[in-house]
Amino acid sequence: MSATRLLLLGPPGAGKGTQAQLLVERLGVPQISTGDMLRAAVAAGSEVGKLAQGSMDRGELVPDEVVIGVARERLGQPDAKDGFILDGFPRTRAQAEALDELLAQLGTPLERCVSLVVDDDEVVGRLIKRAEIEGRADDNEETIRNRMRVYREQTEPLAAYYGERSLLRDVEAKGSIEDVAGRVRGALA
Ligand code: ADP
């Protein structure tokens, strides 16, 4: 039996999105990426998009209350009842606490936090390559460094938060996509 209420933790460029997609196919539960949802909101010019755009362009975090609102709305949808793969949320302690509260209300507590472990040089190299291919607005070197710093300061401490709750599994994120996917499967068993 595999856990289906999952959180992927890891720095930008660790491969969260790629592994989340593979899990969607295998488990049949939706990926919930706050980064994707916020980019869509910016593209649509919605109220949330307007609140998010400046922080995103600088590689800073979007304010907690904005992101928590987006996540709450998405997790309340019917397709998230049997499971979900959270990718990029929570990113702060306040978001993690809000998530716990929300999932408690929904009666669907988190089952596992998979932390993709990879060193800074490796991810910066991957992100610069992705910038060349995809041309994402926040994939320039200065913003990349800022996102890494924000990750180490604000998000990495969440590993301890989930470790204390016995939900954390570390997965080495080096090697091929399939290698990493195999380790992730092992971490969900
Ligand atoms: P990456 O992890 O590759 O940096 P994401 O697509 O997850 O990229 O996020 C892109 C940007 O969206 C972040 O730099 C941040 O500005 C914003 N963002 C996404 N998720 C969150 C979140 N949970 N809290 C605050 N800001 C967020």
Side-chain angles (χ1 to χ4, degrees):
M1 261 283 285
S2 177
T4 57
R5 297 192 297 272
L6 314 176
L7 159 59
L8 295 179
L9 194 67
K16 296 187 298 293
T18 304
Q19 295 302 325
Q21 270 309 312
L22 294 172
L23 289 169
V24 166
E25 286 163 30
R26 205 166 64 83
L27 302 175
V29 298
Q31 172 189 13
I32 298 184
S33 160
T34 44
D36 287 349
M37 287 188 283
L38 292 170
R39 273 186 291 279
V42 169
S46 70
E47 221 30 64
V48 165
K50 283 177 198 147
L51 292 169
Q53 181 159 28
S55 323
M56 293 180 78
D57 286 346
R58 290 186 296 272
E60 290 165 9
L61 294 182
V62 170
D64 283 336
E65 61 274 18
V66 175
V67 185
I68 290 167
V70 166
R72 173 180 293 121
E73 141 98 34
R74 182 65 188 88
L75 281 163
Q77 285 170 23
D79 66 337
K81 276 229 320 252
D82 297 328
F84 44 78
I85 299 149
L86 286 168
D87 158 14
F89 176 87
R91 265 171 148 97
T92 64
R93 171 97 189 190
Q95 291 178 20
E97 288 170 356
L99 175 67
D100 276 348
E101 208 173 295
L102 175 60
L103 294 179
Q105 284 165 7
L106 292 168
T108 55
L110 197 68
E111 293 175 292
R112 200 72 39 100
C113 169
V114 173
S115 173
L116 296 177
V117 178
V118 56
D119 59 46
D120 283 24
D121 289 346
E122 169 82 19
V123 291
V124 170
R126 288 186 196 178
L127 289 170
I128 288 171
K129 214 185 273 171
R130 180 170 85 187
E132 286 160 8
I133 298 167
E134 292 180 11
R136 231 174 76 172
D138 61 351
D139 268 346
N140 61 70
E141 188 163 348
E142 193 191 335
T143 311
I144 289 169
R145 287 192 193 288
N146 209 15
R147 278 151 58 208
M148 288 301 299
R149 188 168 57 241
V150 167
Y151 178 78
R152 297 293 178 208
E153 285 172 8
Q154 305 207 49
T155 308
E156 198 169 45
L158 295 184
Y161 181 91
Y162 292 108
E164 285 161 15
R165 288 157 181 73
S166 303
L167 298 176
L168 186 73
R169 301 288 183 280
D170 280 343
V171 163
E172 176 69 56
K174 267 209 296 235
S176 71
I177 290 172
E178 202 21 71
D179 287 343
V180 179
R183 287 181 216 128
V184 170
R185 279 197 294 278
L188 301 184

